[in-house]
Amino acid sequence: MVVRTVLCVAEKPSIAKAIANHLGDQVTTHNIQSNPYVKNYEFDYTFPQWGHCSVTMTSVLGHLLSHEFESRYKSWTSCDPSALFDARIEVFVGSNGKPIADNIKRHARRADVLYIWTDCDREGEHIGTEIRSVAAQSNQTLGRAGGTVRAHFSNIERAHIIHAAQHPTDLDEAQADAVASRIELDLRVGASFTRHLTLSLRPVLHRGNLSEASRLISYGSCQFPTLGFIVERYLRVRNFISEPFWGIKLMYQKAGISVNFSWARKHLFDRMIAVILYEWCLTSQTAQVQKVKTKPTSKWKPLPLTTLELQKCGSRFLGMDSQKVLQLAEKLYQKGWISYPRTETDQFDQAMDLRGLVQKQAQGGRWASYAAALVEGGFSWPRNGHNNDKAHPPIHPVNFVNPTMLSHEEQCVHEFVVRRFLACCSKDAQGSKTDISILYGPEIFNASGLVILERNYLDVYVYDRWGNQELPPFIEGEVFEPTEAILSEGKTSPPGYLTEPDLLALMDANGIGTDATMADHIVTIIHRQYVEAKAQPRQARHGNDEEGSEELPTQAIVGNSRRGRTTAARRGAGRNSGAGRGGAVTGVREFIPTTLGVALVEGHENMGFETNLTKPFLRKEMELKMKAICNGQTTKARVVNETIEQYRGVYTRMQQHPDVLRRAARKYVFGEVN
């Protein structure tokens, strides 16, 4: 019987090692020349469709191919930057990747099948086609139909890997084309605008004490809109004019409980009217209970965990930046403890054995007894969100690991993933809510109370808060004399600087980057010295009208629904503009633009056309076209041509306003008003 030879290639060395140990009974390990990270693992395995096979499992280190303009375009003065929209691009294996490519070609010569084990996402599909193209250089059969297959997997748990090995699929050429178009567009657009902006501002920026990094104005179609969000919020904060308001605070002490009633009008911006209404209330002396309504209420358990939600929660609850959280989750995935951490899906497939996954977490950890209780009868199927990328399930634990085997940071992320998963498999918290309305003079005041009856998921998901708010008994028609009635005065306050969770939400809503790349774009604009990240003061309250009120939700901040005006006064931008707000800090980062960052955004705004580079519209449209390629609705060539023409139009309009950016740079970077 002929033994077939199968060459398996994973995206990372750790994944290759794990898969080889799952599939092979006796695995032999070999080093490759000139690369200490990539190994070859040799073993025998019986595939249902090919029979007994000799297998070599190896890996790449991410993308195998590099893309650059041909050598005659390397000098920045060799051509007008717009020539890069059409310049020839060379695709080649870089010097660092050459030993890896040579290893693949050497083993591909005698392979009957090339089996791709890259991550099951767009980027993984494209890396798979890169591996195939390199392998086909020494064995053309692997480049033909049936010569290359791919495994579909979302974690490296043994049973899951064996199932994937026995059910190969084809590479998704459409997804690979989408990534190929993005790579080409990012290179062409990024290089042309980077050269144009840098050369245009060089006469201005060379005067200052700026670092070399600041003198290079690097453009990226995701980085600039991200900077635009930060600058827009910064200017709203700096230009906000506070306005005074007045309200009535009412308190009644009954049965040893102080009940604070809120005014139905909230507050008024006319002091005279507020005083008149306050005096009418005092004249009445007594208040009467108009309505008492008690009803059951629930606090819903969280949705299954997506990449974006993991990054936002990591910032809010774990005190880690989004890039760090994702890196740690990737390590946990590669070690086999959690599922693939790059997913947009927030609904579990009904065929998944979630009870079995919960059972594994009953083996130990601070949540063990809770997990055991779920298995014994407290289990409830998770809520379904609205997103399903059809590639990976929500992030969840796949095996039990003793926390002592993990680093401190890994423990934090792993514990969050486990607690989130157990919360998803729990029942909603249940309570009883009482709403009271009273009439005091001509005015209505309200109070609410809450009694928690069943904590359920709150017992394991320690990141949510839902506390009892005790109320004494009231009956409709009851009359009482308020203990305290005060005419309070306050003033509107600006929104806060943009925090990392809010910035991620804005990027997601506007199609800027993917859930896996958003954190990288934030890191890039910090590295480019367009913005600075600072720890948010714990006592800071932004966008609030009254002391002690809760922070505004993102929608209110973004929508500018608070009372207040902006002014055309000069912006006081600066690298230290966030300083001076004392108090303890939280782990949540907030972003403040540098003077250069503000100048770039203001300069583009002052050019006066809507589709400028700091707005999200062009990139969002590009992302929609990427999805259309994946869905088979358009082609790579068409998307590249259409998008290049859009950016060419922007470039032409920018050339017609050469001094606008320079004026903004002189104004903000050097403080020259005129």
Side-chain angles (χ1 to χ4, degrees):
M1 184 177 69
V2 177
V3 177
R4 305 189 75 178
T5 301
V6 178
L7 173 60
C8 297
V9 186
E11 189 171 325
K12 307 174 186 71
S14 60
I15 301 299
K17 180 180 180 180
I19 294 170
N21 288 332
H22 286 328
L23 299 183
D25 292 328
Q26 294 180 322
V27 180
T28 305
T29 305
H30 302 280
N31 295 324
I32 74 167
Q33 291 183 347
S34 305
N35 190 294
Y37 306 108
V38 175
K39 312 287 185 186
N40 293 334
Y41 303 95
E42 297 181 355
F43 55 92
D44 292 341
Y45 185 75
T46 301
F47 293 93
Q49 59 275 49
W50 305 313
H52 186 75
C53 296
S54 174
V55 181
T56 297
M57 167 66 75
T58 188
S59 74
V60 293
L61 294 171
H63 281 282
L64 192 56
L65 301 180
S66 299
H67 302 73
E68 285 185 6
F69 295 110
E70 55 185 354
S71 57
R72 65 191 179 101
Y73 293 104
K74 285 187 177 179
S75 171
W76 282 34
T77 57
S78 63
C79 63
D80 183 272
S82 63
L84 301 180
F85 287 135
D86 306 300
R88 181 173 172 269
I89 295 175
E90 296 178 336
V91 182
F92 58 96
V93 176
S95 56
N96 291 337
K98 195 172 186 307
I100 301 172
D102 289 344
N103 181 55
I104 290 173
K105 285 189 280 190
R106 184 167 57 254
H107 287 278
R109 289 191 188 100
R110 57 187 180 84
D112 297 299
V113 178
L114 174 63
Y115 208 144
I116 302 296
W117 287 80
T118 53
D119 294 341
C120 297
D121 54 17
R122 274 194 215 169
E123 216 71 25
E125 299 297 334
H126 188 267
I127 294 172
T129 62
E130 292 180 348
I131 296 168
R132 180 181 62 190
S133 69
V134 169
Q137 291 176 22
S138 62
N139 185 345
Q140 294 183 359
T141 303
L142 302 181
R144 298 172 187 151
T148 298
V149 295
R150 77 111 70 238
H152 196 279
F153 63 104
S154 60
N155 66 70
I156 55 172
E157 191 267 333
R158 176 179 170 80
H160 188 73
I161 290 299
I162 291 174
H163 181 272
Q166 296 177 352
H167 297 83
T169 61
D170 293 325
L171 281 167
D172 191 323
E173 305 292 344
Q175 289 200 53
D177 280 348
V179 174
S181 64
R182 191 261 304 157
I183 291 173
E184 180 176 347
L185 288 169
D186 283 351
L187 176 59
R188 293 189 183 281
V189 173
S192 59
F193 281 103
T194 294
R195 290 189 185 185
H196 174 71
L197 291 168
T198 301
L199 295 173
S200 296
L201 291 176
R202 179 176 289 172
V204 178
L205 298 182
H206 86 281
R207 299 165 36 203
N209 234 354
L210 299 176
S211 66
E212 284 297 320
S214 293
R215 294 181 188 180
L216 173 67
I217 308 302
S218 176
Y219 170 77
S221 58
C222 287
Q223 288 94 45
F224 262 47
T226 303
L227 171 63
F229 294 138
I230 293 170
V231 172
E232 180 185 13
R233 176 64 66 83
Y234 169 80
L235 295 178
R236 284 182 52 205
V237 173
R238 301 295 291 181
N239 300 328
F240 187 89
I241 296 178
S242 184
E243 292 188 86
F245 61 79
W246 293 264
I248 302 174
K249 291 185 175 180
L250 198 66
M251 189 273 286
Y252 177 53
Q253 195 157 24
K254 182 179 183 182
I257 301 172
S258 295
V259 183
N260 293 303
F261 290 89
S262 60
W263 193 17
R265 298 179 188 269
K266 303 296 183 186
H267 51 251
L268 297 176
F269 290 92
D270 189 315
R271 183 179 184 279
M272 182 178 293
I273 294 178
V275 169
I276 291 172
L277 293 174
Y278 174 63
E279 290 178 346
W280 280 356
C281 290
L282 294 180
T283 302
S284 298
Q285 294 189 348
T286 60
Q288 185 179 52
V289 178
Q290 300 289 296
K291 184 179 69 173
V292 178
K293 186 175 183 181
T294 300
K295 61 181 180 181
T297 187
S298 302
K299 185 171 180 62
W300 289 354
K301 60 188 178 183
L303 286 169
L305 189 60
T306 64
T307 305
L308 179 63
E309 185 69 11
L310 172 64
Q311 291 173 305
K312 289 161 64 177
C313 290
S315 177
R316 286 194 181 106
F317 305 137
L318 308 182
M320 299 179 185
D321 65 71
S322 53
Q323 187 183 56
K324 183 69 172 179
V325 172
L326 202 51
Q327 289 172 346
L328 291 167
E330 186 79 25
K331 287 183 180 179
L332 293 170
Y333 160 68
Q334 292 177 19
K335 292 177 179 179
W337 306 130
I338 68 172
S339 62
Y340 189 59
R342 301 175 189 269
T343 177
E344 300 175 6
T345 302
D346 55 8
Q347 49 189 251
F348 282 104
D349 189 288
Q350 292 288 333
M352 287 187 67
D353 181 17
L354 299 189
R355 286 182 174 84
L357 294 174
V358 172
Q359 175 74 63
K360 291 182 179 181
Q361 298 307 316
Q363 297 177 51
R366 291 191 290 269
W367 50 82
S369 59
Y370 187 89
L374 288 184
V375 173
E376 292 168 4
F379 179 88
S380 175
W381 191 262
R383 295 165 55 201
N384 280 341
H386 300 292
N387 304 300
N388 192 334
D389 60 17
K390 305 296 184 183
H392 299 287
I395 304 168
H396 63 277
V398 296
N399 277 311
F400 171 75
V401 57
N402 190 320
T404 59
M405 295 175 60
L406 306 174
S407 70
H408 174 69
E409 289 181 324
E410 288 174 338
Q411 285 181 37
C412 291
V413 175
H414 177 261
E415 179 171 347
F416 176 78
V417 171
V418 173
R419 288 185 180 275
R420 177 73 172 232
F421 173 68
L422 295 177
C424 289
C425 297
S426 305
K427 296 176 182 176
D428 297 333
Q430 302 295 329
S432 176
K433 183 181 180 183
T434 300
D435 293 316
I436 300 172
S437 293
I438 66 169
L439 184 65
Y440 184 39
E443 296 302 300
I444 298 291
F445 294 81
N446 302 304
S448 292
L450 173 68
V451 176
I452 298 178
L453 304 176
E454 297 177 23
R455 288 183 55 81
N456 295 331
Y457 88 89
L458 291 171
D459 284 332
V460 72
Y461 197 64
V462 296
Y463 315 97
D464 265 4
R465 296 287 183 268
W466 202 41
N468 283 309
Q469 301 167 16
E470 193 175 4
L471 274 183
F474 285 91
I475 59 173
E476 292 183 4
E478 178 181 346
V479 176
F480 62 88
E481 184 176 347
T483 306
E484 186 177 76
I486 298 174
L487 181 65
S488 63
E489 181 176 357
K491 60 181 181 180
T492 56
S493 59
Y497 297 122
L498 209 55
T499 64
E500 190 158 17
D502 289 343
L503 177 58
L504 290 167
L506 278 173
M507 294 172 71
D508 179 57
N510 287 278
I512 303 303
T514 66
D515 52 3
T517 63
M518 290 177 193
D520 295 332
H521 301 318
I522 295 173
V523 169
T524 298
I525 60 174
I526 294 173
H527 176 71
R528 298 296 182 196
Q529 298 180 22
Y530 299 156
V531 304
E532 288 184 343
K534 298 180 182 293
Q536 184 186 45
R538 188 177 298 278
Q539 67 185 40
R541 292 186 302 270
H542 308 302
N544 305 327
D545 283 339
E546 301 184 60
E547 283 194 324
S549 59
E550 293 183 356
E551 187 177 352
L552 277 178
T554 303
Q555 301 95 306
I557 295 174
V558 174
N560 194 21
S561 62
R562 306 307 285 176
R563 176 96 170 195
R565 296 191 300 269
T566 56
T567 178
R570 180 176 178 271
R571 280 79 167 166
R575 294 173 193 254
N576 297 319
S577 50
R581 296 184 298 150
V585 297
T586 69
V588 179
R589 297 194 301 174
E590 59 183 16
F591 301 105
I592 301 166
T594 63
T595 51
L596 177 60
V598 177
L600 289 173
V601 174
E602 271 290 280
H604 283 89
E605 288 283 354
N606 291 341
M607 290 182 195
F609 43 89
E610 186 176 347
T611 54
N612 76 59
L613 298 180
T614 63
K615 297 295 186 185
F617 311 124
L618 286 172
R619 183 66 195 200
K620 184 172 185 177
E621 186 172 347
M622 187 193 300
E623 286 295 332
L624 291 174
K625 289 177 179 177
M626 300 297 108
K627 291 182 179 179
I629 294 176
C630 294
N631 296 332
Q633 299 168 334
T634 188
T635 64
K636 169 182 175 290
R638 182 174 179 179
V639 167
V640 170
N641 291 335
E642 290 176 352
T643 306
I644 287 296
E645 289 310 308
Q646 286 181 306
Y647 278 98
R648 199 194 306 272
V650 174
Y651 185 93
T652 301
R653 291 195 293 273
M654 286 179 64
Q655 283 187 311
Q656 297 168 0
H657 302 82
D659 293 327
V660 176
L661 265 176
R662 294 172 192 160
R663 281 198 298 270
R666 285 192 291 265
K667 175 181 176 182
Y668 288 104
V669 179
F670 301 111
E672 298 177 11
V673 178
N674 296 314

